[in-house]
Amino acid sequence: MDLQVFRALLSDEGQSLLAALGDAGPVGEPALRHDRPPALLAAAEEQVRLRGRAAAKLGEFAARMYLTPDFVELASPLAVAEYKLDRVLDEVGVVLIDAIGLGSGLDALVLSWSHHTTAVDPDPLTVEIAGANAPVANASLFFPHREDLARFDSQGEAVFIDLMRRPGPDGAHDPESYSPPLSWALDRVRTTGLGWVRLAPGLAPGAVPDLGRADEAEWISHAGTVQELVLWFGLHPEPAPVTVRKATLLPAGASLTSRGLPEPSVRPLGRYVYVPDPAVVHAGLVAELAEAVAGGPLDGGGTLLTSDEPRWTPFATAYEVTEVLPRGGGRQRAAAPEAPAEFAVAGADGPTTVVAVPVRFPRVP
């Protein structure tokens, strides 16, 4: 969709077409195609499809927002943007925010619920889509502008830079190849003194040297899927000597923070197996989680932990081991109300399959 077609989508004809397609059930009702400009019809049909895909992320806003495939793919669930807004309100304490690089635009829109947010992006279509979404998202303090990011004279008290990008053809992320590059973004935030940078969570080790020397690097997951990495700057009066790593799980709102623990020893299979939330793994907080469950990494089990104690934690799912079978030599098991989980373990005596059932704790705090 180009800028001209998007503007046509905002016209009376585009709005009536969107409304008709949204009410028609299957997209592409023949009667709706009569005498419609093909580009406008295609754009309206795409909007209906994208709004359906975005409903799980954007909730009630999805049915009226204007979307692109990148917006739907790169936006985290609305609850993640709301969580970050709460952190800004509680810990950053500013009024004027500059949002540099809109990405999906969702974070900047949510920030403007409570902050004067100047949003800049070099792409005119991205800027106009964000502006059209502002009234839908109740973003009354949102002011988008098309601007060369390198020339933008930031006047905000804090700066937010969205560097969430699609991976390259080989699945790799190289933040220095972004526009703007990561090094520029980090310099900009450090110059302002307050701010945060949003990145994809699966960056290769070393892709962000020294985690940008941020005060805090936070990996955020939602409903068991890691969504993004956020580098926070200016949270404390004095910069920390080492970036604090944090894993935050939503919607629970639980956070696990690095404490400099030594790497735990690998263990043979115990009575219980723990599957860490992916945010814990990405944040490198296996030692902190292992201490919480009185366990350690399972020998040959990848990211799995094992322990002889059943301990509830919001940061992992606990399973009780019921069987250990040779890999590929399983037998038929009777159907159960809840199917057991199976974990592949590359043990010293050969590959095995660990069969386990979820632990039902009597009371979850």
Side-chain angles (χ1 to χ4, degrees):
M1 179 171 62
D2 61 25
L3 186 57
Q4 183 177 356
V5 172
F6 176 67
R7 289 172 176 170
L9 204 58
L10 299 180
S11 68
D12 289 343
E13 181 183 16
Q15 293 297 294
S16 64
L17 179 57
L18 273 174
L21 286 171
D23 294 338
V27 175
E29 189 79 19
L32 297 175
R33 292 180 172 274
H34 184 63
D35 291 335
R36 304 286 189 179
L40 177 61
L41 179 62
E45 290 178 336
E46 181 182 51
Q47 285 304 301
V48 173
R49 286 192 296 269
L50 291 174
R51 287 172 173 181
R53 285 173 50 197
K57 286 187 174 183
L58 304 180
E60 63 184 79
F61 294 145
R64 295 182 295 127
M65 291 187 82
Y66 299 95
L67 307 168
T68 66
D70 276 353
F71 186 125
V72 176
E73 179 179 338
L74 299 179
S76 297
L78 180 61
V80 177
E82 292 173 327
Y83 163 77
K84 288 181 291 186
L85 173 61
D86 287 341
R87 287 208 68 179
V88 173
L89 288 168
D90 293 342
E91 301 175 56
V92 178
V94 297
V95 175
L96 306 177
I97 294 177
D98 290 331
I100 298 178
L102 279 167
S104 69
L106 181 62
D107 281 272
L109 290 168
V110 170
L111 282 170
S112 69
W113 289 352
S114 56
H115 295 79
H116 182 288
T117 304
T118 300
V120 295
D121 195 280
D123 179 57
L125 178 61
T126 297
V127 171
E128 292 211 17
I129 288 176
N133 282 334
V136 177
N138 303 318
S140 58
L141 298 175
F142 181 71
F143 304 95
H145 303 279
R146 180 192 176 189
E147 195 150 353
D148 181 341
L149 301 185
R151 296 171 180 264
F152 174 55
D153 183 17
S154 178
Q155 299 296 315
E157 299 167 280
V159 61
F160 160 60
I161 302 179
D162 193 331
L163 286 186
M164 180 76 82
R165 299 290 185 272
R166 286 177 181 267
D170 59 354
H173 295 269
D174 178 10
E176 279 305 302
S177 69
Y178 297 167
S179 181
L182 174 62
S183 56
W184 179 92
L186 295 175
D187 286 343
R188 194 65 180 259
V189 178
R190 293 191 195 109
T191 299
T192 303
L194 282 170
W196 58 107
V197 178
R198 176 179 182 250
L199 290 159
L203 296 172
V208 186
D210 299 322
L211 292 175
R213 303 198 312 276
D215 287 350
E216 183 179 290
E218 182 177 27
W219 283 262
I220 305 173
S221 72
H222 184 272
T225 299
V226 65
Q227 300 289 335
E228 55 190 61
L229 163 63
V230 183
L231 303 178
W232 297 91
F233 295 81
L235 296 180
H236 312 295
E238 295 294 330
V242 178
T243 298
V244 173
R245 289 172 288 112
K246 176 185 283 189
T248 295
L249 281 52
L250 300 175
S255 292
L256 186 65
T257 302
S258 58
R259 292 185 286 117
L261 299 181
E263 289 296 318
S265 300
V266 172
R267 295 189 175 199
L269 179 64
R271 183 175 176 181
Y272 298 93
V273 169
Y274 292 84
V275 181
D277 185 276
V280 173
V281 176
H282 280 275
L285 299 178
V286 171
E288 285 74 9
L289 179 57
E291 182 183 75
V293 300
L298 173 59
D299 187 14
T303 61
L304 299 176
L305 301 178
T306 189
S307 172
D308 289 320
E309 298 183 28
R311 292 193 180 183
W312 180 84
T313 172
F315 304 108
T317 304
Y319 294 86
E320 184 174 10
V321 176
T322 58
E323 294 181 88
V324 179
L325 306 171
R327 187 82 57 83
R331 55 180 176 78
Q332 243 358 72
R333 287 186 293 275
E338 183 170 8
E342 295 188 356
F343 305 104
V345 177
D349 297 328
T352 59
T353 298
V354 175
V355 182
V357 295
V359 176
R360 297 300 177 193
F361 292 95
R363 176 168 103 50
V364 175

